Amino acid sequence: MLKMFTRLEKTRNWVIVFFAALLVIGMAVAGVYNQSPSALANPFKSRDVLARVDGDEVTVADFTLRQRMYEQRMGGQFSLAQLGMTGERVLDTLVNDRIIGQETDRLDLTASEEEVRDVIRRQFSDASNAFDLKRYKDYVVRNFGGVELYERSIRDGIAAEKLRAFVTAGVQVSEQEVQDEYVRDSTEFDLVYVPVTATDLAKKINASDEELRQYYEAHKTDYRFLEPQKKLRYLFVNQEKAGAKLSIPEEDLRKEYDSLRPEAKQAGVRVQQIVLKVARPELDQEVLKRATDLVARVRGEDMTATEEAFAELARGNSEDPATAKNGGWLPAPVRKNPAKPNDILQPLLDMRPGEVRDAVKTGNAYYIFRRGEAVPKSFEEAKNELLVSLRNRRSYAVAQQVAQKAVERLKETKDFQKVAQELAPEANMTPAEMVKETPFVKPGDDVPDIGSNPQFEEAVKPLEEVGQLGERVGIRGGFAVPMLVEKRDPRIPEFEEVRERVAEAFRNERATQQLEQTARELAANSASPDALKAAAERLGLKAVTEEAFRVGRPLGTLGADLALDDAIYALKSGEVTKNPLKVGESWVVAAATARRDADLAEFGKQRAELIERAETERRSQVFDEYIAAIRRRLEEAGKVTIDREMLARVDNVGEPPTALPRPQRPPINLPVQPGG
């Protein structure tokens, strides 16, 4: 690709030196890459095969690099899991890329050197249209590990777009289709609707004792206890109360403060920012390029910038008036907040002072951040946190000691009341608070005051003989010392033991049977929105109102449903759906109190944009179906194979290295942006 720089007379020699160096680095990387280590040892270098697509391979390295690139595209704000991007979906994109690559080869839709050159020059040219070699070098090495992989990604991306254009050349969308869709999506309704759910109906169902007993007799094996049940008495030591009387001298707090790690003595870090707003979606790439240019201008070779240089840039470019006039400084330090792991400011805490981060987007703006110096936290500022932490640790130790004394005394006496009386002053509790008893429970049960607790279950598991004492175990709020009081072997329980469970099951079953009939009765007695409300009240159901509803959106807790949308869209003001609609496991009757039809004058203003968007969506649909059809044929012919065991092993395994190795075929469906 050196030919692309033949016109750059002033920088040609430097470019040649740069590419020579990259070639050496690339050979070194390739040498390591070809060692084919275990997928789990370093997935970024693994040649283990995850999938084969008609002769092409998808390796673990390809898969891991693709995960990394998705994360970079999101600016590190969200994990792939949060975005619903499972390992299966990531692998699907790679398989589809192989298919697209094979199609472009078959149809000879390759990219020329001139086309590749033009794309790269557009992305890495400054305001004067001069090629920015430094920005090119930084981006390519940081994100692709070498020139060859980057240029191939550009080449394959161009070829993919040619294939897309070839496949979708005949796609058209009529203006009437677009207008109809606009009218449907823009028409608003003020609604009254009544969900008919089994949960709501069950609350209104009263069952006689005879009905419940008959239901129990017909289903008694459903209530069989498959494991022994145990009734337990335990002595409880509350950690908070045990430590409430602890005195924490200030001298101890100062020692605690002095022993803190340096990062724990920080109240946060100062941060400067530059905000560039995206006024309209079509300006996104333009704003991103501007943000990338600003980063390249202010950031040095070591990825840092001085406070003064960044402040000057912020004053002249940031579109956040409140911080721009102060050199971009945020008003308060950024503090560590584990409750907000996806906050775009949190990664700054792990950066070096002075380091400038690549532009990240959130909402309708791109942000450029510079991490400033740490703000020290004085002893007085840390005092309350230290007091809580130290008291918690010491109260834990005190409660643990009291519980251990209880174990020893109970082994001697087996008398819970006596031991509780002895230890109550030390535990800062009353004997009545300390001695507790459970109902009959089995593993997995929600034990009163304890909950579902695997540690407690493990502690009582060995207790088989009545009177047998267990060891001290941590539970919610403190410690427990359990003893077996009574045991029942696996069996079918008596009716009274499971009466509540039987009643709940009976009501739910009866409610499910009544759902459709109740919904039809509701619709039949609702000729208007007011009649619907009245009918709902008579049946003990709740009418819900929603204003400015548009089809395609979720309706309350019912969610979105196409059949429900069609029924609502057909309503005029004052009308009720003629029949109830089934949505999931529920039914619903809806009425329109008002209908506001779409403004066709507004459609006229947006006509060109809406038609273009509709055609783009239709082209994407046609292209996706084209690739899906090819994939189905390959799968039916056994030419697509996936190693699912390997996929399970490598999905989200490992941390990315600084330089990423070269996959067999780079991604061609990701936008290449110099700043990600």
mmCIF file of all heavy atoms in Angstrom, residues 465-482:
data_model
loop_
_atom_site.group_PDB
_atom_site.id
_atom_site.type_symbol
_atom_site.label_atom_id
_atom_site.label_comp_id
_atom_site.label_asym_id
_atom_site.label_seq_id
_atom_site.Cartn_x
_atom_site.Cartn_y
_atom_site.Cartn_z
ATOM 1 N N GLU A 465 -29.837 -36.940 64.309
ATOM 2 C CA GLU A 465 -30.437 -37.410 65.555
ATOM 3 C C GLU A 465 -31.009 -36.228 66.327
ATOM 4 O O GLU A 465 -30.380 -35.167 66.419
ATOM 5 C CB GLU A 465 -29.388 -38.125 66.424
ATOM 6 C CG GLU A 465 -28.726 -39.311 65.745
ATOM 7 C CD GLU A 465 -29.715 -40.434 65.465
ATOM 8 O OE1 GLU A 465 -30.692 -40.557 66.228
ATOM 9 O OE2 GLU A 465 -29.510 -41.170 64.476
ATOM 10 N N VAL A 466 -32.200 -36.417 66.883
ATOM 11 C CA VAL A 466 -32.819 -35.362 67.687
ATOM 12 C C VAL A 466 -31.885 -35.002 68.839
ATOM 13 O O VAL A 466 -31.354 -35.883 69.538
ATOM 14 C CB VAL A 466 -34.190 -35.816 68.218
ATOM 15 C CG1 VAL A 466 -34.752 -34.795 69.214
ATOM 16 C CG2 VAL A 466 -35.163 -36.003 67.058
ATOM 17 N N GLY A 467 -31.666 -33.691 69.031
ATOM 18 C CA GLY A 467 -30.763 -33.225 70.076
ATOM 19 C C GLY A 467 -29.333 -33.030 69.605
ATOM 20 O O GLY A 467 -28.495 -32.511 70.346
ATOM 21 N N GLN A 468 -29.052 -33.428 68.335
ATOM 22 C CA GLN A 468 -27.693 -33.270 67.810
ATOM 23 C C GLN A 468 -27.435 -31.789 67.529
ATOM 24 O O GLN A 468 -28.243 -31.094 66.928
ATOM 25 C CB GLN A 468 -27.533 -34.096 66.537
ATOM 26 C CG GLN A 468 -26.111 -34.146 66.007
ATOM 27 C CD GLN A 468 -25.979 -35.061 64.794
ATOM 28 O OE1 GLN A 468 -26.936 -35.756 64.416
ATOM 29 N NE2 GLN A 468 -24.809 -35.067 64.184
ATOM 30 N N LEU A 469 -26.261 -31.317 67.978
ATOM 31 C CA LEU A 469 -25.906 -29.906 67.864
ATOM 32 C C LEU A 469 -24.984 -29.684 66.680
ATOM 33 O O LEU A 469 -24.070 -30.474 66.418
ATOM 34 C CB LEU A 469 -25.215 -29.444 69.154
ATOM 35 C CG LEU A 469 -24.954 -27.944 69.303
ATOM 36 C CD1 LEU A 469 -26.259 -27.184 69.511
ATOM 37 C CD2 LEU A 469 -23.995 -27.693 70.462
ATOM 38 N N GLY A 470 -25.222 -28.588 65.942
ATOM 39 C CA GLY A 470 -24.370 -28.233 64.818
ATOM 40 C C GLY A 470 -23.310 -27.221 65.208
ATOM 41 O O GLY A 470 -23.269 -26.738 66.345
ATOM 42 N N GLU A 471 -22.461 -26.884 64.249
ATOM 43 C CA GLU A 471 -21.405 -25.900 64.504
ATOM 44 C C GLU A 471 -21.917 -24.486 64.204
ATOM 45 O O GLU A 471 -22.958 -24.295 63.588
ATOM 46 C CB GLU A 471 -20.184 -26.204 63.621
ATOM 47 C CG GLU A 471 -19.506 -27.526 63.924
ATOM 48 C CD GLU A 471 -18.952 -27.593 65.341
ATOM 49 O OE1 GLU A 471 -18.503 -26.537 65.856
ATOM 50 O OE2 GLU A 471 -18.990 -28.682 65.942
ATOM 51 N N ARG A 472 -21.167 -23.538 64.656
ATOM 52 C CA ARG A 472 -21.472 -22.131 64.407
ATOM 53 C C ARG A 472 -21.507 -21.865 62.897
ATOM 54 O O ARG A 472 -20.655 -22.336 62.151
ATOM 55 C CB ARG A 472 -20.390 -21.282 65.068
ATOM 56 C CG ARG A 472 -20.469 -19.800 64.815
ATOM 57 C CD ARG A 472 -19.146 -19.154 65.182
ATOM 58 N NE ARG A 472 -18.132 -19.421 64.167
ATOM 59 C CZ ARG A 472 -16.840 -19.543 64.416
ATOM 60 N NH1 ARG A 472 -16.374 -19.484 65.646
ATOM 61 N NH2 ARG A 472 -15.992 -19.765 63.429
ATOM 62 N N VAL A 473 -22.503 -21.104 62.444
ATOM 63 C CA VAL A 473 -22.609 -20.805 61.021
ATOM 64 C C VAL A 473 -23.070 -19.356 60.842
ATOM 65 O O VAL A 473 -23.903 -18.851 61.597
ATOM 66 C CB VAL A 473 -23.597 -21.776 60.323
ATOM 67 C CG1 VAL A 473 -24.986 -21.681 60.922
ATOM 68 C CG2 VAL A 473 -23.654 -21.493 58.821
ATOM 69 N N GLY A 474 -22.482 -18.692 59.852
ATOM 70 C CA GLY A 474 -22.879 -17.323 59.555
ATOM 71 C C GLY A 474 -24.210 -17.285 58.822
ATOM 72 O O GLY A 474 -24.430 -18.030 57.871
ATOM 73 N N ILE A 475 -25.135 -16.449 59.280
ATOM 74 C CA ILE A 475 -26.407 -16.247 58.614
ATOM 75 C C ILE A 475 -26.636 -14.743 58.478
ATOM 76 O O ILE A 475 -25.798 -13.943 58.905
ATOM 77 C CB ILE A 475 -27.589 -16.893 59.386
ATOM 78 C CG1 ILE A 475 -27.734 -16.244 60.769
ATOM 79 C CG2 ILE A 475 -27.401 -18.387 59.499
ATOM 80 C CD1 ILE A 475 -29.006 -16.666 61.495
ATOM 81 N N ARG A 476 -27.757 -14.372 57.893
ATOM 82 C CA ARG A 476 -28.059 -12.959 57.708
ATOM 83 C C ARG A 476 -28.084 -12.232 59.054
ATOM 84 O O ARG A 476 -28.862 -12.556 59.948
ATOM 85 C CB ARG A 476 -29.421 -12.816 57.019
ATOM 86 C CG ARG A 476 -29.829 -11.408 56.691
ATOM 87 C CD ARG A 476 -31.043 -11.406 55.780
ATOM 88 N NE ARG A 476 -32.175 -12.126 56.364
ATOM 89 C CZ ARG A 476 -33.202 -12.584 55.664
ATOM 90 N NH1 ARG A 476 -33.231 -12.442 54.350
ATOM 91 N NH2 ARG A 476 -34.194 -13.215 56.260
ATOM 92 N N GLY A 477 -27.192 -11.257 59.206
ATOM 93 C CA GLY A 477 -27.188 -10.423 60.416
ATOM 94 C C GLY A 477 -26.341 -10.929 61.553
ATOM 95 O O GLY A 477 -26.230 -10.262 62.582
ATOM 96 N N GLY A 478 -25.745 -12.129 61.415
ATOM 97 C CA GLY A 478 -24.923 -12.602 62.533
ATOM 98 C C GLY A 478 -24.562 -14.066 62.419
ATOM 99 O O GLY A 478 -24.235 -14.559 61.333
ATOM 100 N N PHE A 479 -24.663 -14.772 63.555
ATOM 101 C CA PHE A 479 -24.285 -16.186 63.608
ATOM 102 C C PHE A 479 -25.390 -16.995 64.264
ATOM 103 O O PHE A 479 -26.155 -16.481 65.090
ATOM 104 C CB PHE A 479 -22.994 -16.370 64.406
ATOM 105 C CG PHE A 479 -21.783 -15.798 63.730
ATOM 106 C CD1 PHE A 479 -21.412 -14.478 63.952
ATOM 107 C CD2 PHE A 479 -21.018 -16.567 62.863
ATOM 108 C CE1 PHE A 479 -20.299 -13.933 63.326
ATOM 109 C CE2 PHE A 479 -19.908 -16.036 62.232
ATOM 110 C CZ PHE A 479 -19.553 -14.713 62.463
ATOM 111 N N ALA A 480 -25.468 -18.287 63.892
ATOM 112 C CA ALA A 480 -26.443 -19.207 64.470
ATOM 113 C C ALA A 480 -25.742 -20.486 64.904
ATOM 114 O O ALA A 480 -24.788 -20.931 64.270
ATOM 115 C CB ALA A 480 -27.542 -19.526 63.462
ATOM 116 N N VAL A 481 -26.239 -21.059 66.006
ATOM 117 C CA VAL A 481 -25.777 -22.379 66.456
ATOM 118 C C VAL A 481 -27.014 -23.273 66.476
ATOM 119 O O VAL A 481 -27.868 -23.142 67.365
ATOM 120 C CB VAL A 481 -25.136 -22.309 67.858
ATOM 121 C CG1 VAL A 481 -24.640 -23.697 68.259
ATOM 122 C CG2 VAL A 481 -24.007 -21.299 67.887
ATOM 123 N N PRO A 482 -27.184 -24.182 65.487
ATOM 124 C CA PRO A 482 -28.434 -24.943 65.349
ATOM 125 C C PRO A 482 -28.412 -26.294 66.073
ATOM 126 O O PRO A 482 -27.357 -26.905 66.276
ATOM 127 C CB PRO A 482 -28.528 -25.156 63.841
ATOM 128 C CG PRO A 482 -27.095 -25.249 63.401
ATOM 129 C CD PRO A 482 -26.303 -24.352 64.324
#
